[in-house]
Amino acid sequence: MPSDASPELIRQQALAALTSELAKQGHPPHYAQHMAAAVIFQADLDLCAAQLARLLSWLKQNHAEIYPEAVQLVDATRDEFERRVQNG
């Protein structure tokens, strides 16, 4: 992949490649595309969680004075998100 490729182009290429691989494994193309999207979405969620965990760990180790406030912000964000989901 070219280093100047846009994130959207990279996502499209990843979706197409994974869809193709799943179809080669015998999944119907329509389902393969949905499965590929779900796999990519889950991988993105896992990456975000790993990034946040690493950032919090780094803060705790290198900036202990602001670590508690960062954890409170993360918790407040989760609470706000859960309220929005519950309220539709």
Side-chain angles (χ1 to χ4, degrees):
M1 249 177 270
S3 62
D4 60 346
S6 72
E8 183 58 33
L9 178 60
I10 293 169
R11 282 187 209 96
Q12 290 174 357
Q13 290 172 338
L15 180 62
L18 187 53
T19 299
S20 176
E21 186 59 35
L22 290 167
K24 285 179 190 175
Q25 293 175 8
H27 299 283
H30 181 70
Y31 294 118
Q33 186 174 14
H34 290 294
M35 292 169 66
V39 167
I40 291 170
F41 182 74
Q42 184 62 52
D44 192 41
L45 289 177
D46 292 344
L47 172 59
C48 288
Q51 289 171 320
L52 181 58
R54 186 170 185 181
L55 177 60
L56 287 174
S57 177
W58 177 81
L59 282 173
K60 185 176 185 178
Q61 183 175 12
N62 296 301
H63 299 281
E65 69 281 2
I66 64 170
Y67 172 74
E69 188 176 349
V71 171
Q72 287 176 344
L73 180 60
V74 169
D75 288 342
T77 303
R78 185 195 67 243
D79 291 342
E80 179 183 338
F81 178 79
E82 289 174 355
R83 273 195 306 279
R84 285 183 180 184
V85 168
Q86 288 175 354
N87 295 334

